[in-house]
Structures are given as C-alpha cells and as structure tokens.
Amino acid sequence: MSNWPRDIEDKAKGLISAFSERDLNVATAESCTGGLIVGALTEIPGSSSVVDRGFVTYSNEAKMQMLGVDSATLAAYGAVSRQTALEMVAGALAHSRADVAVAVTGIAGPGGGSIEKPVGLVHLAASARSGGVLHREMRYGDIGRDAVRLETVRTALAMLEEVAGSAD
C-alpha cells in the first residue's frame, strides 16, 4: 500500500509505464531526499524492469566515493550547488546502466540554512545518457522538512519525464 500523495503516485506510475514501453532504465542520486525518489518509483508494480539503482549520498564522502563528485567541486561550491548536482547526475549515469538519471542535493531543514543557502534550497539535475542535461534551482522556502522533500520528489519526477524525451 502506498502512502504517497496521489499526484506523486500517478506521476511515478506514468514514468514506469512510459520507461517500460521505451525500454529505458533510470537511476537516482539523492542527498536531501534520502531515497524518496527511488522509493516512489519502486512503489509501482513493474518498476524492477525500469529502475536500475538509487544512490543515497547524504555525506560528501558518499558523493565522492559513489558518484565521483570531485572534492574540489565540494570545496569551491559546497554540496548544495548547481555544480555538485551536475556532477552527481553524471556520476549516476557513469556508475549504472541507466539511460536517464536524476540527482538532488539541498537543505530540507529545519536547520542548516544560511543567508546564501537558505532552508528549502534544492539543486536538481537530470540527464539522459544520449545527451541533454537539465538543472533546476528550487527555493521552496522554510515550509517544513517533509514538505521540502515531497516537493523535491515532485520536481525530480517531472524532470525525469522531461529528460526522457531526449533519451534514445
């Protein structure tokens, strides 16, 4: 039984169906969502034919070890940055057999924010192995940890759908 909001469950079902029809595999690289995106996808029956893997890379060390994020990128821009999200999605593709991938890194709160990087700031990147990369900087605001994470899942699923259009 799913405890997901209906819109997320419907989007995940649509993605699993569309990816299955097109024989596409997906990987996720998640920090602030802690596996919720791959969890939403794997909630759907038949997802095993589509979902290759999910990387939960909460720490900087995990981002470097599992996804190949450069320590210099983390030092220069921080974990919550466009640059890190782009390296995460590239690493998810490089370390999987996925055709499309999505990566998220952000500050869900309630603490951890700053003036430059407030609570609710999330960087997302999606890419198809065949080309095409998307980046979105979302500023959901200090709407609560659960809400930031659910909004991030919604945005990530929409980005997967968008980038899959360029996957062949």
Side-chain angles (χ1 to χ4, degrees):
M1 295 293 160
S2 173
N3 290 322
W4 291 100
R6 184 56 170 221
D7 64 310
I8 291 176
E9 187 176 349
D10 289 347
K11 178 66 82 175
K13 279 182 186 172
L15 285 172
I16 296 299
S17 175
F19 287 8
S20 182
E21 288 172 14
R22 294 183 58 199
D23 198 29
L24 295 176
N25 288 300
V26 63
T28 67
E30 304 180 59
S31 187
C32 63
T33 49
L36 290 176
I37 299 164
V38 77
L41 292 169
T42 58
E43 187 73 29
I44 307 305
S47 60
S48 60
S49 68
V50 171
V51 177
D52 180 53
R53 66 195 70 190
F55 298 93
V56 177
T57 56
Y58 216 68
S59 70
N60 286 349
E61 183 178 353
K63 289 174 183 67
M64 291 184 290
Q65 288 179 350
M66 296 171 71
L67 299 172
V69 173
D70 194 319
S71 62
T73 300
L74 294 166
Y77 303 103
V80 181
S81 65
R82 174 182 186 275
Q83 295 83 356
T84 296
L86 291 171
E87 287 190 24
M88 287 173 68
V89 79
L93 288 173
H95 294 93
S96 73
R97 62 181 182 89
D99 303 292
V100 294
V102 66
V104 301
T105 182
I107 304 166
S114 66
I115 298 296
E116 300 82 24
K117 295 184 180 185
V119 170
L121 171 65
V122 180
H123 285 272
L124 302 95
S127 184
R129 187 176 297 280
S130 60
V133 180
L134 301 174
H135 167 261
R136 299 235 163 85
E137 176 182 309
M138 304 302 291
R139 293 179 178 263
Y140 300 114
D142 194 356
I143 58 175
R145 184 175 185 79
D146 290 346
V148 168
R149 289 161 45 107
L150 283 176
E151 288 304 318
T152 301
V153 171
R154 286 183 175 98
T155 304
L157 294 178
M159 289 175 72
L160 277 173
E161 183 175 53
E162 192 174 337
V163 80
S166 65
D168 291 320

Coordinates of all heavy atoms in Angstrom, one line a residue, residues 97-168:
R97 N 23.7 1.4 -15.3 CA 23.4 1.1 -16.7 C 22.1 1.9 -17.1 O 21.5 1.6 -18.1 CB 23.1 -0.4 -16.9 CG 22.0 -1.0 -16.1 CD 21.8 -2.5 -16.3 NE 20.7 -3.0 -15.6 CZ 19.5 -3.0 -16.0 NH1 19.2 -2.6 -17.2 NH2 18.5 -3.5 -15.3
A98 N 21.8 2.9 -16.3 CA 20.6 3.7 -16.6 C 20.8 4.6 -17.9 O 21.9 5.0 -18.2 CB 20.4 4.7 -15.4
D99 N 19.6 4.8 -18.5 CA 19.6 5.6 -19.7 C 19.3 7.1 -19.3 O 19.7 8.0 -20.0 CB 18.4 5.2 -20.6 CG 18.6 3.7 -21.1 OD1 19.6 3.5 -21.8 OD2 17.8 2.9 -20.6
V100 N 18.6 7.2 -18.2 CA 18.3 8.6 -17.6 C 18.5 8.5 -16.1 O 18.4 7.5 -15.5 CB 16.8 9.0 -17.9 CG1 16.6 9.2 -19.4 CG2 15.9 8.0 -17.3
A101 N 18.9 9.7 -15.6 CA 19.1 9.8 -14.1 C 18.7 11.2 -13.6 O 18.7 12.1 -14.4 CB 20.6 9.6 -13.8
V102 N 18.5 11.2 -12.3 CA 18.2 12.5 -11.7 C 19.0 12.5 -10.4 O 19.3 11.5 -9.8 CB 16.7 12.6 -11.4 CG1 16.2 11.6 -10.4 CG2 16.3 14.0 -11.0
A103 N 19.4 13.7 -10.0 CA 20.2 14.0 -8.8 C 19.6 15.1 -8.1 O 19.2 16.1 -8.7 CB 21.7 14.2 -9.1
V104 N 19.6 15.1 -6.7 CA 19.1 16.2 -5.9 C 20.1 16.4 -4.7 O 20.6 15.4 -4.1 CB 17.7 15.9 -5.4 CG1 16.7 15.7 -6.6 CG2 17.6 14.7 -4.5
T105 N 20.3 17.6 -4.4 CA 21.0 18.0 -3.2 C 20.5 19.3 -2.7 O 20.2 20.2 -3.4 CB 22.6 18.1 -3.5 OG1 23.3 18.4 -2.3 CG2 22.9 19.1 -4.6
G106 N 20.2 19.3 -1.4 CA 19.6 20.5 -0.9 C 19.6 20.6 0.7 O 20.2 19.8 1.3
I107 N 18.8 21.6 1.2 CA 18.7 21.8 2.6 C 17.2 21.7 3.0 O 16.5 22.6 2.7 CB 19.3 23.2 3.0 CG1 20.7 23.3 2.5 CG2 19.2 23.4 4.5 CD1 21.3 24.7 2.5
A108 N 16.9 20.6 3.5 CA 15.5 20.3 3.9 C 15.0 21.0 5.2 O 13.9 21.2 5.4 CB 15.2 18.8 3.9
G109 N 16.0 21.3 6.0 CA 15.7 21.9 7.3 C 15.4 20.9 8.4 O 15.5 19.7 8.1
P110 N 15.0 21.3 9.5 CA 14.7 22.7 9.8 C 15.9 23.6 10.0 O 15.8 24.8 9.8 CB 13.9 22.6 11.2 CG 14.4 21.4 11.8 CD 14.7 20.4 10.7
G111 N 17.1 23.0 10.3 CA 18.3 23.8 10.4 C 19.2 23.7 9.2 O 18.8 23.1 8.2
G112 N 20.4 24.2 9.3 CA 21.4 24.0 8.3 C 21.4 25.1 7.2 O 22.3 25.0 6.3
G113 N 20.5 26.0 7.2 CA 20.5 27.0 6.2 C 21.4 28.2 6.5 O 21.9 28.3 7.7
S114 N 21.6 29.1 5.5 CA 22.4 30.3 5.7 C 21.8 31.4 4.8 O 20.8 31.1 4.1 CB 23.8 30.1 5.3 OG 23.9 29.8 4.0
I115 N 22.3 32.5 4.9 CA 21.8 33.6 4.0 C 22.0 33.2 2.6 O 21.1 33.4 1.7 CB 22.6 34.9 4.3 CG1 22.3 35.4 5.7 CG2 22.2 36.0 3.3 CD1 20.9 35.8 6.0
E116 N 23.2 32.7 2.2 CA 23.5 32.3 0.8 C 22.7 31.1 0.4 O 22.3 30.9 -0.7 CB 25.0 32.0 0.7 CG 25.9 33.2 0.9 CD 26.2 33.4 2.4 OE1 26.1 32.4 3.2 OE2 26.5 34.5 2.9
K117 N 22.5 30.1 1.4 CA 21.9 28.9 1.1 C 20.8 28.6 2.1 O 21.1 27.9 3.1 CB 22.9 27.7 1.0 CG 23.9 27.9 -0.1 CD 24.9 26.8 -0.2 CE 25.8 27.0 -1.4 NZ 26.7 25.9 -1.6
P118 N 19.6 29.2 1.9 CA 18.6 29.0 2.9 C 17.9 27.7 3.0 O 18.0 26.9 2.0 CB 17.6 30.1 2.5 CG 17.7 30.2 1.0 CD 19.2 30.0 0.8
V119 N 17.3 27.4 4.1 CA 16.4 26.2 4.2 C 15.4 26.2 3.0 O 14.8 27.2 2.7 CB 15.7 26.1 5.5 CG1 14.7 25.0 5.5 CG2 16.7 25.9 6.6
G120 N 15.3 25.1 2.3 CA 14.4 25.0 1.2 C 15.1 25.1 -0.1 O 14.4 24.9 -1.2
L121 N 16.4 25.4 -0.1 CA 17.1 25.5 -1.4 C 17.5 24.1 -1.8 O 18.1 23.3 -1.1 CB 18.4 26.3 -1.2 CG 19.4 26.3 -2.4 CD1 18.8 27.0 -3.6 CD2 20.7 27.0 -2.0
V122 N 17.1 23.7 -3.1 CA 17.5 22.4 -3.6 C 17.9 22.6 -5.0 O 17.3 23.3 -5.8 CB 16.2 21.4 -3.6 CG1 16.6 20.1 -4.2 CG2 15.7 21.3 -2.2
H123 N 19.0 21.9 -5.4 CA 19.5 21.9 -6.7 C 19.2 20.5 -7.3 O 19.5 19.5 -6.6 CB 21.0 22.1 -6.8 CG 21.4 23.6 -6.6 ND1 21.4 24.5 -7.7 CD2 21.6 24.3 -5.5 CE1 21.7 25.7 -7.2 NE2 21.9 25.6 -5.9
L124 N 18.6 20.4 -8.4 CA 18.3 19.2 -9.1 C 18.9 19.2 -10.5 O 19.0 20.2 -11.1 CB 16.8 19.0 -9.3 CG 15.9 19.1 -8.0 CD1 15.4 20.5 -7.8 CD2 14.8 18.1 -8.1
A125 N 19.3 18.0 -10.9 CA 19.9 17.8 -12.2 C 19.3 16.5 -12.8 O 19.2 15.5 -12.0 CB 21.4 17.8 -12.2
A126 N 19.0 16.5 -14.1 CA 18.5 15.3 -14.7 C 19.3 15.2 -16.1 O 19.6 16.2 -16.7 CB 17.0 15.3 -14.9
S127 N 19.6 14.0 -16.5 CA 20.3 13.8 -17.7 C 20.0 12.5 -18.4 O 19.6 11.5 -17.7 CB 21.8 13.9 -17.4 OG 22.6 13.8 -18.6
A128 N 20.1 12.5 -19.7 CA 19.9 11.3 -20.5 C 21.3 10.9 -20.9 O 22.1 11.8 -21.3 CB 19.0 11.5 -21.7
R129 N 21.6 9.6 -21.0 CA 22.9 9.1 -21.4 C 23.2 9.6 -22.8 O 24.3 9.9 -23.2 CB 23.0 7.6 -21.3 CG 24.4 7.1 -21.6 CD 24.4 5.5 -21.4 NE 24.1 5.1 -20.1 CZ 25.0 5.1 -19.1 NH1 26.2 5.6 -19.3 NH2 24.7 4.7 -17.9
S130 N 22.2 9.7 -23.6 CA 22.3 10.1 -25.0 C 22.5 11.6 -25.2 O 22.6 12.1 -26.3 CB 21.1 9.6 -25.9 OG 19.9 10.2 -25.3
G131 N 22.5 12.4 -24.1 CA 22.7 13.8 -24.2 C 21.5 14.5 -23.6 O 20.4 13.9 -23.4
G132 N 21.6 15.8 -23.3 CA 20.6 16.6 -22.7 C 20.7 16.5 -21.2 O 20.6 15.5 -20.6
V133 N 20.9 17.7 -20.7 CA 21.1 17.9 -19.2 C 20.2 19.0 -18.8 O 20.2 20.1 -19.4 CB 22.5 18.2 -18.8 CG1 22.7 18.3 -17.3 CG2 23.5 17.1 -19.3
L134 N 19.5 18.8 -17.7 CA 18.6 19.9 -17.1 C 19.2 20.2 -15.7 O 19.6 19.3 -15.0 CB 17.2 19.4 -16.9 CG 16.4 18.9 -18.1 CD1 15.1 18.3 -17.7 CD2 16.2 20.1 -19.1
H135 N 19.0 21.4 -15.3 CA 19.3 21.8 -13.9 C 18.2 22.8 -13.5 O 17.7 23.6 -14.3 CB 20.7 22.6 -13.8 CG 20.8 23.3 -12.5 ND1 20.6 24.6 -12.3 CD2 21.1 22.8 -11.3 CE1 20.7 24.9 -11.1 NE2 21.1 23.8 -10.4
R136 N 17.8 22.6 -12.3 CA 16.8 23.5 -11.7 C 17.3 23.9 -10.3 O 17.7 23.0 -9.5 CB 15.4 22.9 -11.6 CG 14.9 22.5 -12.9 CD 13.5 23.1 -13.2 NE 13.2 23.0 -14.6 CZ 12.7 21.9 -15.2 NH1 12.4 20.8 -14.5 NH2 12.5 21.9 -16.5
E137 N 17.2 25.1 -10.0 CA 17.4 25.6 -8.6 C 16.1 25.9 -8.0 O 15.4 26.8 -8.5 CB 18.3 26.8 -8.6 CG 18.5 27.4 -7.2 CD 19.4 28.7 -7.2 OE1 20.5 28.6 -7.8 OE2 18.9 29.7 -6.6
M138 N 15.7 25.2 -7.0 CA 14.4 25.4 -6.4 C 14.5 26.1 -5.0 O 15.4 25.7 -4.3 CB 13.6 24.1 -6.3 CG 13.4 23.3 -7.6 SD 12.6 24.3 -8.9 CE 10.9 24.3 -8.2
R139 N 13.7 27.0 -4.8 CA 13.7 27.7 -3.4 C 12.3 27.5 -2.9 O 11.5 28.4 -3.0 CB 14.1 29.1 -3.6 CG 15.6 29.3 -4.0 CD 16.0 30.7 -4.1 NE 17.4 30.8 -4.5 CZ 18.4 31.0 -3.6 NH1 18.1 31.2 -2.3 NH2 19.7 31.0 -4.0
Y140 N 12.1 26.4 -2.2 CA 10.8 26.0 -1.7 C 10.4 26.9 -0.5 O 9.3 27.0 -0.1 CB 10.7 24.6 -1.4 CG 10.9 23.7 -2.6 CD1 12.0 22.8 -2.6 CD2 10.0 23.6 -3.6 CE1 12.3 22.0 -3.7 CE2 10.2 22.8 -4.7 CZ 11.3 22.0 -4.7 OH 11.6 21.1 -5.8
G141 N 11.5 27.4 0.2 CA 11.3 28.1 1.4 C 11.3 27.2 2.6 O 11.4 26.0 2.5
D142 N 11.2 27.8 3.8 CA 11.2 27.1 5.0 C 9.8 26.6 5.3 O 9.1 27.0 6.2 CB 11.7 28.0 6.2 CG 12.0 27.2 7.4 OD1 11.8 26.0 7.4 OD2 12.5 27.8 8.4
I143 N 9.3 25.6 4.5 CA 8.0 25.1 4.5 C 7.9 23.8 5.4 O 6.8 23.2 5.4 CB 7.4 24.8 3.1 CG1 8.3 23.9 2.3 CG2 7.3 26.1 2.4 CD1 7.7 23.5 1.0
G144 N 9.0 23.4 6.0 CA 9.0 22.1 6.8 C 9.7 21.1 6.0 O 9.7 21.0 4.8
R145 N 10.4 20.2 6.8 CA 11.3 19.2 6.2 C 10.5 18.3 5.2 O 10.9 18.0 4.1 CB 11.9 18.4 7.3 CG 12.9 17.4 6.9 CD 13.6 16.7 8.1 NE 14.6 15.8 7.7 CZ 15.8 16.1 7.3 NH1 16.2 17.4 7.2 NH2 16.7 15.2 6.9
D146 N 9.4 17.7 5.7 CA 8.6 16.8 4.9 C 8.2 17.5 3.6 O 8.2 16.8 2.5 CB 7.4 16.3 5.7 CG 7.8 15.3 6.8 OD1 9.0 14.9 6.9 OD2 6.9 15.1 7.7
A147 N 7.7 18.7 3.7 CA 7.2 19.4 2.5 C 8.3 19.7 1.5 O 8.1 19.5 0.3 CB 6.5 20.7 2.9
V148 N 9.5 20.1 2.0 CA 10.6 20.3 1.1 C 11.0 19.0 0.4 O 11.2 19.0 -0.9 CB 11.9 20.9 1.8 CG1 13.1 20.8 1.0 CG2 11.6 22.3 2.3
R149 N 11.0 17.9 1.1 CA 11.4 16.6 0.5 C 10.3 16.2 -0.5 O 10.7 15.7 -1.6 CB 11.6 15.6 1.6 CG 12.9 15.9 2.3 CD 13.1 15.2 3.7 NE 12.7 13.9 3.8 CZ 13.6 12.9 3.9 NH1 14.9 13.1 3.9 NH2 13.2 11.6 4.0
L150 N 9.0 16.3 -0.2 CA 8.0 15.9 -1.1 C 8.0 16.8 -2.4 O 7.8 16.3 -3.5 CB 6.6 15.9 -0.5 CG 6.3 14.8 0.4 CD1 5.0 15.0 1.1 CD2 6.3 13.4 -0.3
E151 N 8.2 18.1 -2.2 CA 8.2 19.0 -3.4 C 9.4 18.6 -4.3 O 9.4 18.7 -5.5 CB 8.3 20.4 -3.0 CG 7.0 21.0 -2.4 CD 5.8 20.8 -3.4 OE1 6.0 21.1 -4.6 OE2 4.7 20.4 -2.9
T152 N 10.5 18.2 -3.6 CA 11.7 17.8 -4.4 C 11.4 16.6 -5.2 O 11.8 16.5 -6.4 CB 12.9 17.6 -3.4 OG1 13.2 18.8 -2.7 CG2 14.2 17.2 -4.2
V153 N 10.7 15.6 -4.6 CA 10.3 14.4 -5.3 C 9.5 14.8 -6.5 O 9.7 14.3 -7.7 CB 9.6 13.4 -4.4 CG1 9.0 12.2 -5.2 CG2 10.5 12.9 -3.3
R154 N 8.5 15.7 -6.3 CA 7.6 16.1 -7.5 C 8.5 16.7 -8.6 O 8.3 16.4 -9.8 CB 6.6 17.1 -7.0 CG 5.5 16.5 -6.1 CD 4.5 17.6 -5.7 NE 3.4 17.0 -5.1 CZ 3.2 16.9 -3.7 NH1 4.1 17.5 -2.9 NH2 2.2 16.3 -3.2
T155 N 9.4 17.6 -8.2 CA 10.2 18.2 -9.3 C 11.1 17.2 -10.0 O 11.3 17.3 -11.2 CB 11.0 19.4 -8.6 OG1 10.2 20.3 -8.0 CG2 11.9 20.1 -9.7
A156 N 11.7 16.3 -9.2 CA 12.6 15.3 -9.8 C 11.9 14.4 -10.8 O 12.4 14.1 -11.8 CB 13.2 14.5 -8.6
L157 N 10.7 14.0 -10.4 CA 9.9 13.1 -11.3 C 9.5 13.8 -12.6 O 9.6 13.3 -13.7 CB 8.6 12.6 -10.6 CG 8.9 11.6 -9.4 CD1 7.6 11.2 -8.8 CD2 9.7 10.4 -9.8
A158 N 9.2 15.1 -12.5 CA 8.9 15.9 -13.6 C 10.1 16.1 -14.5 O 10.0 16.0 -15.8 CB 8.3 17.3 -13.2
M159 N 11.3 16.3 -13.9 CA 12.5 16.4 -14.7 C 12.9 15.1 -15.4 O 13.4 15.1 -16.5 CB 13.6 16.9 -13.8 CG 13.5 18.3 -13.4 SD 14.7 18.9 -12.2 CE 16.2 19.0 -13.3
L160 N 12.6 14.0 -14.7 CA 12.9 12.7 -15.4 C 12.0 12.5 -16.6 O 12.5 12.1 -17.7 CB 12.6 11.5 -14.4 CG 13.7 11.1 -13.5 CD1 13.2 10.1 -12.5 CD2 15.0 10.6 -14.2
E161 N 10.8 12.9 -16.5 CA 9.9 12.8 -17.7 C 10.4 13.7 -18.8 O 10.4 13.4 -19.9 CB 8.5 13.3 -17.2 CG 7.4 13.2 -18.3 CD 6.1 13.5 -17.7 OE1 5.9 14.6 -17.1 OE2 5.1 12.7 -18.0
E162 N 10.8 14.9 -18.4 CA 11.3 15.9 -19.4 C 12.6 15.4 -20.1 O 12.7 15.4 -21.3 CB 11.5 17.2 -18.7 CG 11.8 18.4 -19.7 CD 11.9 19.7 -18.9 OE1 11.4 19.9 -17.8 OE2 12.5 20.6 -19.5
V163 N 13.5 14.9 -19.3 CA 14.8 14.5 -19.9 C 14.6 13.2 -20.7 O 15.4 12.9 -21.7 CB 15.9 14.4 -18.9 CG1 15.8 13.1 -18.0 CG2 17.3 14.6 -19.5
A164 N 13.7 12.4 -20.4 CA 13.5 11.1 -21.1 C 13.1 11.4 -22.5 O 13.3 10.5 -23.4 CB 12.4 10.3 -20.4
G165 N 12.5 12.6 -22.8 CA 12.2 12.9 -24.2 C 13.4 12.9 -25.1 O 13.3 12.7 -26.3
S166 N 14.6 13.2 -24.6 CA 15.8 13.2 -25.4 C 16.6 11.9 -25.3 O 17.6 11.8 -25.9 CB 16.7 14.4 -24.9 OG 17.2 14.1 -23.6
A167 N 16.0 10.9 -24.6 CA 16.7 9.6 -24.5 C 16.3 8.7 -25.6 O 15.2 8.5 -25.8 CB 16.4 9.0 -23.1
D168 N 17.3 8.2 -26.3 CA 17.0 7.3 -27.4 C 18.0 6.1 -27.3 O 19.1 6.2 -27.1 CB 17.2 8.0 -28.8 CG 16.0 9.0 -29.0 OD1 14.9 8.6 -28.6 OD2 16.3 10.0 -29.5

